[in-house]
């Protein structure tokens, strides 16, 4: 593999892990005291799937593929967070003493990198299967939403 491609892939992986880590450790709305509960995640998943289904006017086969994609994303998120009940505590532990815990930070990075490396192909395949099942009009709508930088979970 060419060195610039290798460096680019490593950089992309690093950025993905950093953003994923911040997302997993961040707080929003209803889960300010830790990660979302399984019930809340299921509720949010249902709302997003419902919005996408309505917006794109999906048929039964497309809805099934969207469901698979949502399941893969949820499984990846769960694996990324890991067994901890408070992902933010792991980050706080890095700066709990006078010295930054570099060894633990690298270990944490390795754990999260492995999760991304293992689960991303499944997520990519599920996304590709869903996108490829859309007709050209639906695909154009997806691209338009991405160009507007709006998420499917937004109101409005």
């Amino acid at each position: 593999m060419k060195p610039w491609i290798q460096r680019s892939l490593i950089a992309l992986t690093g950025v993905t892990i950093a953003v994923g880590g911040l997302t997993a450790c961040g707080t929003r709305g209803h889960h300010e005291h830790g990660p979302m509960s399984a019930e809340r995640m299921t509720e949010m998943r249902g709302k997003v799937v419902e919005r996408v289904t309505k917006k794109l006017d999906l048929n039964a086969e497309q809805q099934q593929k969207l469901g698979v994609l949502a399941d893969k994303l949820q499984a990846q998120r769960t694996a990324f967070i890991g067994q901890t009940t408070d992902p933010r505590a792991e980050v706080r532990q890095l700066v709990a003493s006078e010295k930054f815990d570099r060894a633990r930070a690298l270990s944490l990075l390795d754990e999260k990198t492995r999760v991304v490396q293992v689960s991303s192909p499944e997520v990519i395949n599920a996304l590709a299967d869903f996108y490829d099942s859309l007709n050209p009009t639906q695909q154009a709508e997806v691209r338009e939403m991405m160009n507007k930088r709006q998420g499917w979970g937004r109101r409005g």
Side-chain angles (χ1 to χ4, degrees):
M1 186 179 287
K2 293 184 179 182
W4 70 269
I5 293 174
Q6 201 171 21
R7 277 190 238 120
S8 297
L9 288 174
I10 291 170
L12 178 62
T13 301
V15 169
T16 302
I17 291 167
V19 170
L22 292 173
T23 301
C25 295
T27 60
R28 280 186 72 165
H30 301 287
H31 61 281
E32 292 180 12
H33 302 290
M36 271 194 232
S37 67
E39 297 82 23
R40 180 75 176 134
M41 279 299 300
T42 302
E43 178 186 334
M44 293 289 293
R45 177 193 178 281
K47 287 180 180 180
V48 171
V49 167
E50 183 180 317
R51 274 195 195 105
V52 172
T53 298
K54 184 178 174 183
K55 182 82 173 168
L56 295 177
D57 193 26
L58 300 178
N59 63 33
E61 179 188 351
Q62 292 168 328
Q63 287 179 17
Q64 187 270 334
K65 290 182 183 211
L66 177 61
V68 170
L69 173 59
D71 291 342
K72 297 291 182 188
L73 287 168
Q74 191 167 353
Q76 184 181 44
R77 180 187 183 278
T78 301
F80 194 86
I81 290 173
Q83 299 299 318
T84 183
T85 56
D86 185 6
R88 295 179 71 204
E90 289 182 322
V91 176
R92 283 193 302 265
Q93 286 177 351
L94 299 175
V95 294
S97 66
E98 292 180 20
K99 298 279 186 180
F100 185 82
D101 189 349
R102 294 171 196 235
R104 179 63 188 138
L106 289 172
S107 173
L108 196 56
L109 178 65
D110 286 342
E111 289 172 26
K112 304 307 178 185
T113 302
R114 262 188 309 252
V115 168
V116 171
Q117 288 174 334
V118 168
S119 61
S120 290
E122 291 180 4
V123 172
I124 290 169
N125 286 331
L127 177 58
D129 289 345
F130 171 67
Y131 184 79
D132 293 346
S133 76
L134 300 176
N135 65 43
T137 304
Q138 292 169 321
Q139 289 178 349
E141 181 69 25
V142 169
R143 287 189 295 272
E144 182 181 326
M145 289 299 293
M146 291 176 72
N147 287 337
K148 289 181 179 178
R149 296 181 186 216
Q150 292 180 347
W152 291 104
R154 285 191 169 185
R155 294 186 175 117

